[in-house]
Amino acid sequence: MARRHQYHQPNAPDSPGGGSDSDIQLDIDELGLNDDEDGDEDDASSAWDHNSLDTRIPLRNLRATHTRRFGIQRDNDAYREGEQTTAMHHLSGGRDSNGTMEDSAPLLEASNGSPTTRKSSPGGWRQSSLRLAKFFSSTPDGPPTTSLETQDSSLTGTSRNITIGQDPPPRFPPNAVSNAKYTAWSFLPRTLYNEFSFFFNMYFLLVALSQLIPPLRVGYVSTYVFPLLFVLSITLGKEALSDIARRRRDAEANRGPYTILRLQDPTGTSRRKDKRKEYVGGKNPTRRGRINTSSSYPNRLDVIEEEEEIVGHNGKESKPAIEVDELIIRSRDIKVGDVVKLGKDQRVPADLVILKTLAAESPYRPRQESLPNLSNGEAGSNPQTSGSTLTTLVPPTEASLELGKLSGGTEAGGTGEAFLRTDQLDGETDWKLRLASSLTQSLEPWEFSRLRIVAGRPSKKVNEFVGMIECMPRSDPQNDSGAPQDRSSQKALTAPLTIDNTAWANTVLASNVTVLAVVVYTGAQTRQAMSTTPPRSKTGLLDCEINDLTKILCALTLTLSLVLVALEGFENREEMKWYVAITRFLILFSTIIPVSLRVNLDMGKSVYARFIERDQGISGTVVRTSTIPEELGRIEYLLSDKTGTLTRNEMELKKIHVGTVSYANEAMDEVNSYIRQGFVTGPADDVLEPSSLVTPSSSFHTPSAGNQTTRTRREIGSRVRDLVLALALCHNVTPTAEEEDGQSFTTYQASSPDEIAIVRWTEQVGLRLVHRDRKSITLQSVETSRVVVRVRIREIFPFTSEGKRMGAILQFLQGEASAIPSVGDAGEIWFYQKGADTAMTSIVAANDWLDEETANMAREGFRTLVVGRRKLSAQQYLDFSARYKEASLSLQNRDARMARVVKEHLESSLELLGVTGVEDKLQKDVKPSLELLRNAGIKIWMLTGDKVETARCVAVSAKLVSRTQYIHTITKLTPETPAASALDALSFLRSKPDSTALLIDGDSLSYFLSHHRWEFISVAVLLPAVIACRCSPTQKADVAYLIRQFTKKRVACIGDGGNDVSMIQAADVGVGIVGKEGRQASLAADFSITSFHHLTKLLVWHGRNSYKRSAKLAQFIIHRGLIISVCQTMYSIAAHYEPNALYRDWLLVGYATVYTMAPVFSLVLDKDVDEGLASLYPELYKELTNGQSLSYRTFFVWVAISIYQGSIIQGLSQILVGSVDSPQMVSVSFTVLVINELIMVACEIVTWHRFMVASLLGTMAVYIGSISFLGGYFDLAYVWSLAFAWRVAAISAISLIPPYSVKILRRTLKPPSYRKVQGI
């Protein structure tokens, strides 16, 4: 527990008198160094040279490359690193905490040596804690202090300097997530631009503006202006509502609570408390409450000096050293330089550099004071409300420093490591091990103000980071001689920062530890945001096709106007100029391009969106972009993520094979019995009797039975035991104890879910992992709860993508399990290794079953691991160890040399123990869903950030690749690869496009996209399936864009993670799945679903209906405008080519609205097949991709029908009535026009709905009822006569019967597919 204490006391009772450091001098004498003055200075100079080198070369490379004397110097440097972490304080802002303190995983070695140790600890020089003699301090004669900026030229000019706890410059963006398309200033310009980029909208704008000119006016201005304003208001309103909804979702994500730390200076305590009270009790509870560091505050270094003087020389302190204020703030309020406190399963809110990890049992206990509670991330107004805590921390004593009992030490369990889940960032399922810098792990939180970080410029490269961290020196009020000490004589400690020290935004902390990390990038500058393309306004293919058709109609209108003017003659007009006449004709024929077209289509899309969201079969689906639902019916390429989309990322060991027999499913019970027999270590009836430890050489016990049976069971049982023992030991899994609802249970942490699945399986069959650290592993029998195996870890060879295997050298302890092993205990030494079959085949001893069995498991979709072992003598191990350490000290080609030593000494003729098959559980109904989509003609690509082997197994198990298809693999292509070899691979694919699937890694994909872009995509789009692994988010988006650009086909992308956002936004249709790890993908997508199998119904059913309904609706609206324009043309010809209106004012508006709109719009309820048939015959979907429902052929068919019907209606009306321009002719012509449209709608309906019947009958009733109010246009006496009735009936029959007869004949001779499957 932290307490107030004395530090930096020149006359402290436990320090040597006279200000000299006799303890250090004694250490130096024992190490054999000269203590004369000249020698000291020479050593100091040498030390500076080496220290300068340390900042450029990884420290582990220097472990044994120099003389013992230099190793001693590094120990002194290491202690100086620990000693100088006690007094630097900083003025910064503060906040509040809801973080939790939890256990850490003791995988990395921490400092466990005494600070007075004279030798380097086995873990390396960083664990040493020798005190630094005064002659190692920087002096004017020594080398100059090197700044961070000059230590790495790669940072110069492009870096940012971050002082922890200080307010960042305003140039850093806020930490806010934004999926909104518009801002308050850009909404109108962008939406209006998008609207008027459509030709027909611009056309109607010009027509409406033309009515402001008196010579061009042909009717009321409102007749043309109001419809356009209505269309724009509907469209802009939908866009505004959609964007407001996005902003609300973003605001919800940005309100997520996070804990940050603030280091408070005691000299400003009262002033800060006043400001804190003002913030807490103020009327604006959402204020950040950040303390403003203005020039009125003292300089940071001056504050430190003042504080040290306050301590005094009498060993009595008068004030606390520093206060750590923990505040809960919203995610959007996090700024660069803040120290964030994260707990297990908490999402990382910004790009961070890890400073320190803390275990649940932290040695310091902060003094807690009540702070107001923050509800929903906002400060409350009641200062007595219990909530977060104000934590007061004070520095440790000199004695505690020398004992090395900082919270980061071994005693506290703070090992400086943490595991992160990054699948939402890069798609990789393996957990990533992240480390705190050794420079900061030993610091207490109140000392973070001494740190300064230089980080590179923001980048989208999620696997790269270059930075430096600098620990500023503390200043002693007096030096050893009692004279004031110059601060400039001390040197800041620096250390490099790499990707291993970072935690990027949108990753999740998986370890059961508390992590303290500093923010380096926020908001738009995070890796996640920079890998995400900005949202764009998506336009459906149907809208583009209709836009093209309106251009044809406009050309037709212009041609018709020119012809009518030309027929009378350009020079024969007396009342108006010829160009005015042409313009008036254009305005009269503007109904050919109906302004209501866009309104009806947009309203129809809203109806489709409503149908999708209310479908109980895909409950939870949300339509976020209601402008493109018909695009769901035109998809030809589907790009899918793997993790969380096709798979659950839940691994389970399903099968093992030990050479002569395999075990799976119920047969695992037999494995359990073998383990019970194989690990009998003592009397079963006496749990108090000491048990002996089991080694691979221990005999296998079998029940009494026949000799042959016993021998056979013993052989098989021994093999099973050896395989299970190897699986229980050869891994990087750490067990951790957790408690929930008062119940304790064990969880496992590892970098790979495969490893956890295997260890869980070994527990299920009877062998439990109970302890693991960097040096040992302990196994326990599940049945007896006795320790049965103890091993020392001699070497670990981690898994790499190149090696595709991992191994370990283990020494088995012997004797009683209860005995405490000594360091010198001897035991069997075994080398265990497991890996992919491609890597292990050449390593294990010759056998006749491995290839066949791994192939069988691969066909079942299992991820196979081959397990082998080899026994080493003590001499063999010593020989290997010497060579391996020698290789590890190489400064050039070190990894290759180390791998060569392992291969020469260990990886040969391993005893093959067995093969395991691990299944990555698929999402619900993935297999039938993919098969249905494939039958619907959709080509499926899987883009993942995972490993090649993993992607291959999932592609096979999910039936993305059929059994008859060959998987052609292209990997490891680099810019140096000859173009000929790369193109040869493409030639092979081009020769067999139907029976070959492509598997390509990220490097090779990048090579093709950079050097052979069009050659690659021209072949890839022909293949039935493509699997791309190790893909970055940017590569996923590039592939989606490239397919769209090359094929001009519709592309859908589906994913569940933040790493899929770019791909989703680049697609024509983006589908996001609400995943376990967040909602980034679903928020950015056009459609959000809860499971992958919902996609089939979304496409095959709702996509089909949306597209066919919109196509039919558009054609009818165009037909409605064309037919009235043909009537106008016939009238103008009969009226001697005068540009006068046939139907004026209300007749023109009423025809497009109340008299025809409801029946035509009721077509959005029509369906040609039911849902069962659409799913049963997915081939019906394939026809939609050709665009046959709305094509140039169907368009011109409807143009022909419109010309025929318009000519018949207007021509016969004029002939039968005997008048060209009379109320009787207008009444007959308009009535037939309305009746014709209603009957045409009825003829096109396939499946009747009650709303259709109501709309048709209701519209007819409304028209008949409104005739009495049309006296200004009709001859009402004539309308109610028999002459009117028979003329209307005759003209309607002649207009309708021939087109319908042709349709019936064509349907009989060549029935459409939907009628074939219906059997009608």
Side-chain angles (χ1 to χ4, degrees):
M1 178 172 296
R3 57 183 177 85
R4 298 180 185 273
H5 52 272
Q6 303 169 358
Y7 67 107
H8 292 297
Q9 301 176 42
N11 298 320
D14 58 345
S15 66
S20 66
D21 201 338
S22 61
D23 182 38
I24 291 186
Q25 298 296 341
L26 177 61
D27 292 343
I28 301 302
D29 291 339
E30 291 178 354
L31 294 172
L33 292 177
N34 297 329
D35 55 359
D36 60 285
E37 192 68 16
D38 295 338
D40 293 346
E41 293 178 359
D42 294 339
D43 290 338
S45 178
S46 176
W48 282 120
D49 294 337
H50 292 300
N51 188 52
S52 177
L53 180 63
D54 288 346
T55 62
R56 292 171 172 79
I57 299 175
L59 301 176
R60 62 178 180 270
N61 296 357
L62 305 177
R63 186 179 306 173
T65 56
H66 298 288
T67 64
R68 182 173 179 231
R69 181 173 180 175
F70 179 63
I72 296 164
Q73 173 59 40
R74 287 179 300 180
D75 285 346
N76 284 283
D77 285 342
Y79 179 71
R80 181 179 66 182
E81 180 180 327
E83 183 197 20
Q84 290 181 339
T85 58
T86 56
M88 183 72 107
H89 310 298
H90 175 48
L91 291 171
S92 63
R95 302 167 189 141
D96 185 0
S97 165
N98 67 342
T100 57
M101 306 287 286
E102 297 176 318
D103 297 335
S104 69
L107 284 179
L108 288 185
E109 194 168 28
S111 175
N112 57 3
S114 170
T116 60
T117 302
R118 271 62 172 177
K119 293 184 178 181
S120 299
S121 64
W125 70 272
R126 286 176 292 181
Q127 283 75 24
S128 304
S129 300
L130 280 176
R131 295 194 61 187
L132 178 64
K134 60 183 180 182
F135 52 77
F136 283 114
S137 300
S138 179
T139 65
D141 296 332
T145 300
T146 305
S147 66
L148 283 176
E149 288 81 351
T150 61
Q151 285 178 347
D152 193 340
S153 59
S154 65
L155 297 177
T156 305
T158 62
S159 61
R160 59 175 61 187
N161 296 327
I162 302 168
T163 302
I164 294 180
Q166 286 189 352
D167 279 345
R171 60 188 176 91
F172 295 152
N175 191 51
V177 176
S178 177
N179 290 301
K181 295 181 181 179
Y182 312 105
T183 65
W185 299 105
S186 66
F187 175 75
L188 278 178
R190 288 187 59 185
T191 52
L192 290 177
Y193 174 81
N194 291 334
E195 288 304 304
F196 289 115
S197 62
F198 287 100
F199 175 79
F200 55 83
N201 281 345
M202 179 60 70
Y203 177 79
F204 282 116
L205 176 64
L206 296 176
V207 169
L209 293 176
S210 69
Q211 296 305 288
L212 300 178
I213 304 175
L216 302 180
R217 187 175 300 163
V218 296
Y220 295 130
V221 175
S222 59
T223 305
Y224 296 91
V225 174
F226 285 169
L228 179 62
L229 293 177
F230 180 72
V231 170
L232 293 179
S233 62
I234 291 292
T235 306
L236 267 63
K238 288 180 59 180
E239 284 292 307
L241 291 176
S242 298
D243 213 51
I244 290 172
R246 291 190 193 94
R247 288 186 174 274
R248 287 175 177 171
R249 293 190 294 267
D250 291 342
E252 181 181 353
N254 292 329
R255 283 196 299 266
Y258 285 91
T259 300
I260 69 163
L261 306 184
R262 178 181 62 181
L263 309 181
Q264 278 189 230
D265 164 43
T267 61
T269 300
S270 60
R271 180 171 181 179
R272 292 174 185 277
K273 282 187 177 179
D274 290 342
K275 289 207 170 193
R276 179 60 185 164
K277 288 179 180 178
E278 178 184 348
Y279 161 64
V280 172
K283 296 182 180 180
N284 184 10
T286 63
R287 260 182 57 191
R288 179 176 174 82
R290 181 184 291 272
I291 300 299
N292 184 23
T293 56
S294 64
S295 58
S296 61
Y297 284 95
N299 179 272
R300 184 172 60 153
L301 300 180
D302 295 338
V303 171
I304 296 170
E305 292 176 347
E306 277 185 51
E307 183 183 318
E308 291 169 345
E309 293 175 2
I310 290 171
V311 174
H313 299 278
N314 55 2
K316 296 181 180 179
E317 57 183 354
S318 58
K319 290 186 179 181
I322 242 156
E323 290 181 345
V324 176
D325 191 9
E326 298 183 351
L327 292 179
I328 300 176
I329 65 167
R330 292 167 294 199
S331 174
R332 69 184 182 194
D333 294 329
I334 293 174
K335 293 189 177 182
V336 173
D338 287 342
V339 178
V340 181
K341 181 180 178 182
L342 298 174
K344 184 181 179 183
D345 293 330
Q346 195 167 8
R347 183 170 299 280
V348 178
D351 285 356
L352 312 176
V353 167
I354 298 176
L355 300 177
K356 186 182 184 70
T357 65
L358 297 171
E361 298 297 330
S362 182
Y364 70 86
R365 294 294 183 270
R367 175 163 55 90
Q368 297 182 347
E369 299 175 6
S370 175
L371 268 185
N373 186 32
L374 293 180
S375 176
N376 297 327
E378 298 179 353
S381 59
N382 184 3
Q384 303 300 324
T385 304
S386 175
S388 54
T389 61
L390 179 65
T391 307
T392 303
L393 305 175
V394 293
T397 63
E398 289 284 349
S400 66
L401 282 173
E402 297 201 12
L403 291 175
K405 293 182 179 178
L406 292 172
S407 62
T410 306
E411 294 83 352
T415 60
E417 67 178 32
F419 281 107
L420 296 178
R421 293 197 298 268
T422 64
D423 52 323
Q424 299 296 301
L425 178 67
D426 55 19
E428 297 188 22
T429 56
D430 290 354
W431 292 2
K432 303 298 187 304
L433 178 63
R434 293 294 185 254
L435 310 172
S437 173
S438 59
L439 192 63
T440 59
Q441 176 62 24
S442 59
L443 299 180
E444 292 291 357
W446 57 80
E447 299 174 290
F448 289 163
S449 60
R450 295 170 52 194
L451 300 176
R452 187 164 68 97
I453 291 176
V454 175
R457 64 166 51 180
S459 170
K460 64 174 64 175
K461 297 179 180 179
V462 296
N463 294 318
E464 295 181 12
F465 177 71
V466 177
M468 301 287 286
I469 188 166
E470 180 179 26
C471 183
M472 303 297 293
R474 69 173 177 85
S475 67
D476 293 330
Q478 296 178 351
N479 61 15
D480 293 341
S481 62
Q485 182 172 323
D486 184 8
R487 182 184 310 277
S488 63
S489 65
Q490 300 186 32
K491 182 179 183 297
L493 298 176
T494 61
L497 295 174
T498 66
I499 186 65
D500 292 334
N501 308 118
T502 62
W504 296 145
N506 207 33
T507 58
V508 178
L509 179 61
S511 297
N512 191 14
V513 296
T514 298
V515 170
L516 303 180
V518 61
V519 178
V520 290
Y521 306 110
T522 54
Q525 294 182 346
T526 61
R527 288 330 197 243
Q528 168 71 28
M530 296 190 71
S531 299
T532 303
T533 56
R536 63 185 180 92
S537 297
K538 296 183 179 181
T539 302
L541 181 60
L542 184 71
D543 292 331
C544 296
E545 291 171 344
I546 292 175
N547 194 51
D548 293 338
L549 295 180
T550 56
K551 295 176 182 179
I552 297 175
L553 292 175
C554 182
L556 180 63
T557 302
L558 179 61
T559 302
L560 190 59
S561 302
L562 289 172
V563 168
L564 291 177
V565 173
L567 288 176
E568 185 179 1
F570 292 100
E571 303 297 336
N572 296 332
R573 292 184 173 275
E574 298 179 357
E575 297 182 0
M576 65 183 68
K577 299 293 184 181
W578 63 269
Y579 50 82
V580 175
I582 291 176
T583 305
R584 285 176 62 91
F585 273 123
L586 283 173
I587 297 170
L588 290 174
F589 295 147
S590 63
T591 53
I592 290 180
I593 310 173
V595 69
S596 60
L597 175 61
R598 191 69 188 275
V599 177
N600 282 271
L601 288 177
D602 286 347
M603 292 175 61
K605 292 174 182 180
S606 299
V607 172
Y608 310 148
R610 182 68 172 169
F611 287 160
I612 292 172
E613 292 182 336
R614 296 187 63 181
D615 191 339
Q616 295 301 313
I618 52 174
S619 59
T621 301
V622 179
V623 179
R624 305 197 188 281
T625 306
S626 61
T627 58
I628 56 172
E630 69 279 350
E631 293 295 276
L632 295 170
R634 309 286 294 276
I635 301 301
E636 294 192 50
Y637 290 91
L638 175 65
L639 276 57
S640 174
D641 179 40
K642 180 187 74 68
T643 307
T645 303
L646 299 179
T647 68
R648 305 179 195 174
N649 199 24
E650 297 176 3
M651 309 298 175
E652 182 180 2
L653 194 148
K654 303 289 288 187
K655 187 176 184 181
I656 64 169
H657 195 286
V658 293
T660 56
V661 63
S662 64
Y663 298 92
N665 302 322
E666 292 81 7
M668 290 299 182
D669 294 337
E670 189 172 354
V671 175
N672 199 339
S673 66
Y674 283 134
I675 297 304
R676 287 197 303 269
Q677 299 167 18
F679 289 93
V680 175
T681 59
D685 56 350
D686 189 358
V687 296
L688 299 178
E689 183 71 20
S691 60
S692 59
L693 296 175
V694 176
T695 69
S697 300
S698 301
S699 59
F700 184 83
H701 302 277
T702 56
S704 299
N707 293 336
Q708 184 63 34
T709 303
T710 302
R711 184 165 52 252
T712 302
R713 285 189 59 82
R714 184 184 299 115
E715 291 176 356
I716 296 177
S718 179
R719 291 180 183 178
V720 171
R721 184 195 68 175
D722 291 341
L723 176 60
V724 174
L725 180 61
L727 294 174
L729 293 174
C730 187
H731 53 70
N732 64 355
V733 181
T734 301
T736 59
E738 295 188 11
E739 185 173 338
E740 185 176 343
D741 299 331
Q743 299 293 327
S744 297
F745 58 94
T746 300
T747 60
Y748 297 110
Q749 296 178 2
S751 62
S752 171
D754 299 59
E755 301 267 65
I756 296 178
I758 292 174
V759 172
R760 282 177 177 164
W761 177 81
T762 62
E763 181 179 2
Q764 292 173 2
V765 298
L767 198 58
R768 178 187 294 127
L769 174 67
V770 293
H771 173 75
R772 181 207 171 96
D773 55 28
R774 295 280 293 179
K775 294 299 181 183
S776 65
I777 299 176
T778 302
L779 304 181
Q780 182 187 70
S781 171
V782 174
E783 183 182 22
T784 64
S785 297
R786 289 175 171 173
V787 173
V788 292
V789 177
R790 275 185 179 156
V791 299
R792 285 198 190 95
I793 302 175
R794 294 303 186 188
E795 294 287 350
I796 288 288
F797 311 104
F799 179 90
T800 62
S801 299
E802 295 76 18
K804 301 179 182 179
R805 56 190 182 274
M806 72 87 60
I809 298 179
L810 308 173
Q811 183 177 20
F812 286 81
L813 302 183
Q814 298 173 335
E816 293 183 356
S818 59
I820 300 177
S822 63
V823 178
D825 283 347
E828 300 176 13
I829 300 177
W830 289 81
F831 169 62
Y832 287 96
Q833 191 171 58
K834 66 181 180 183
D837 57 295
T838 55
M840 295 292 293
T841 301
S842 61
I843 296 175
V844 298
N847 60 88
D848 58 357
W849 59 270
L850 178 59
D851 293 340
E852 180 181 359
E853 186 58 32
T854 54
N856 291 337
M857 288 189 181
R859 279 192 290 270
E860 295 180 57
F862 294 151
R863 304 166 74 163
T864 58
L865 283 176
V866 179
V867 185
R869 70 177 182 179
R870 177 182 179 183
K871 189 174 183 179
L872 303 177
S873 65
Q875 187 59 45
Q876 286 176 322
Y877 171 70
L878 292 175
D879 293 343
F880 162 77
S881 181
R883 290 285 308 278
Y884 190 70
K885 289 181 179 178
E886 179 183 352
S888 67
L889 299 177
S890 302
L891 296 181
Q892 294 182 350
N893 300 324
R894 178 157 47 92
D895 292 339
R897 293 186 182 185
M898 293 170 65
R900 189 181 305 116
V901 172
V902 173
K903 185 174 183 61
E904 292 175 356
H905 288 75
L906 302 177
E907 295 181 338
S908 61
S909 301
L910 266 63
E911 177 188 355
L912 178 58
L913 296 178
V915 181
T916 66
V918 176
E919 179 187 44
D920 190 353
K921 293 183 180 179
L922 300 175
Q923 294 280 4
K924 180 182 178 182
D925 295 335
V926 163
K927 293 181 182 179
S929 298
L930 290 177
E931 183 179 3
L932 187 148
L933 294 174
R934 198 161 41 240
N935 293 336
I938 299 175
K939 292 183 172 64
I940 304 172
W941 291 35
M942 185 174 75
L943 309 180
T944 177
D946 224 327
K947 298 186 291 290
V948 174
E949 292 79 9
T950 304
R952 181 193 296 271
C953 292
V954 172
V956 173
S957 62
K959 306 302 181 186
L960 179 63
V961 178
S962 66
R963 293 179 178 270
T964 60
Q965 292 174 350
Y966 167 72
I967 301 179
H968 183 66
T969 304
I970 301 177
T971 58
K972 298 181 180 180
L973 294 184
T974 63
E976 292 74 24
T977 302
S981 61
L983 294 177
D984 287 343
L986 296 181
S987 300
F988 175 82
L989 293 171
R990 186 177 282 109
S991 63
K992 299 178 180 180
D994 297 329
S995 59
T996 306
L998 173 62
L999 175 62
I1000 187 171
D1001 66 352
D1003 292 338
S1004 303
L1005 179 62
S1006 178
Y1007 172 82
F1008 279 120
L1009 294 181
S1010 301
H1011 297 84
H1012 308 288
R1013 190 179 187 90
W1014 296 111
E1015 292 87 345
F1016 169 75
I1017 197 63
S1018 63
V1019 175
V1021 295
L1022 302 176
L1023 304 178
V1026 176
I1027 304 102
C1029 30
R1030 293 297 186 190
C1031 286
S1032 66
T1034 304
Q1035 282 181 323
K1036 292 182 179 183
D1038 289 344
V1039 170
Y1041 175 76
L1042 188 58
I1043 296 175
R1044 289 176 48 219
Q1045 187 181 26
F1046 180 81
T1047 63
K1048 308 300 181 184
K1049 305 294 186 181
R1050 299 291 96 177
V1051 177
C1053 293
I1054 182 170
D1056 74 316
N1059 61 313
D1060 303 317
V1061 171
S1062 295
M1063 175 179 70
I1064 287 172
Q1065 292 178 339
D1068 296 297
V1069 176
V1071 182
I1073 297 179
V1074 180
K1076 297 180 181 178
E1077 304 301 337
R1079 302 175 59 192
Q1080 289 80 3
S1082 65
L1083 291 177
D1086 304 307
F1087 301 88
S1088 173
I1089 59 179
T1090 57
S1091 181
F1092 181 84
H1093 73 280
H1094 289 171
L1095 181 65
T1096 57
K1097 188 173 185 180
L1098 192 64
L1099 298 181
V1100 174
W1101 175 240
H1102 290 287
R1104 174 184 182 83
N1105 289 338
S1106 299
Y1107 170 62
K1108 291 188 73 70
R1109 290 166 175 171
S1110 289
K1112 185 177 291 186
L1113 181 63
Q1115 289 170 334
F1116 256 95
I1117 294 174
I1118 292 175
H1119 167 264
R1120 186 177 62 188
L1122 268 173
I1123 193 171
I1124 197 173
S1125 297
V1126 172
C1127 292
Q1128 175 68 47
T1129 302
M1130 296 294 295
Y1131 170 76
S1132 298
I1133 293 174
H1136 305 289
Y1137 310 105
E1138 290 296 325
N1140 297 322
L1142 170 61
Y1143 308 121
R1144 299 186 307 274
D1145 306 331
W1146 168 249
L1147 292 183
L1148 193 62
V1149 175
Y1151 173 74
T1153 54
V1154 295
Y1155 296 151
T1156 60
M1157 183 174 179
V1160 171
F1161 188 72
S1162 69
L1163 293 173
V1164 300
L1165 303 174
D1166 192 21
K1167 56 183 180 182
D1168 53 0
V1169 295
D1170 58 26
E1171 182 181 344
L1173 286 176
S1175 300
L1176 185 62
Y1177 298 99
E1179 293 79 8
L1180 294 173
Y1181 184 88
K1182 189 183 300 183
E1183 298 179 353
L1184 304 181
T1185 60
N1186 299 325
Q1188 295 180 358
S1189 297
L1190 181 62
S1191 61
Y1192 287 115
R1193 186 185 66 81
T1194 59
F1195 169 72
F1196 285 111
V1197 167
W1198 279 99
V1199 168
I1201 293 174
S1202 301
I1203 292 175
Y1204 167 77
Q1205 291 183 334
S1207 302
I1208 292 297
I1209 292 172
Q1210 185 60 29
L1212 290 181
S1213 295
Q1214 294 174 175
I1215 293 173
L1216 295 179
V1217 174
S1219 172
V1220 175
D1221 189 8
S1222 66
Q1224 293 87 351
M1225 187 276 299
V1226 172
S1227 61
V1228 171
S1229 173
F1230 190 80
T1231 302
V1232 174
L1233 194 65
V1234 172
I1235 293 174
N1236 180 85
E1237 194 66 21
L1238 297 182
I1239 296 178
M1240 284 291 292
V1241 169
C1243 292
E1244 288 296 320
I1245 294 175
V1246 178
T1247 304
W1248 283 87
H1249 189 277
R1250 60 179 181 272
F1251 179 79
M1252 296 176 175
V1253 178
S1255 65
L1256 286 170
L1257 297 179
T1259 298
M1260 196 64 207
V1262 168
Y1263 176 70
I1264 294 174
S1266 66
I1267 290 178
S1268 302
F1269 302 95
L1270 301 178
Y1273 310 101
F1274 292 173
D1275 185 345
L1276 297 181
Y1278 180 74
V1279 168
W1280 303 115
S1281 66
L1282 182 62
F1284 172 83
W1286 76 260
R1287 286 177 173 81
V1288 168
I1291 297 174
S1292 298
I1294 297 174
S1295 170
L1296 291 167
I1297 292 177
Y1300 187 73
S1301 301
V1302 173
K1303 178 181 178 180
I1304 295 296
L1305 180 63
R1306 182 177 179 276
R1307 182 181 296 176
T1308 304
L1309 298 177
K1310 190 179 179 181
S1313 298
Y1314 73 88
R1315 295 184 67 86
K1316 293 180 182 178
V1317 299
Q1318 288 177 331
I1320 57 177

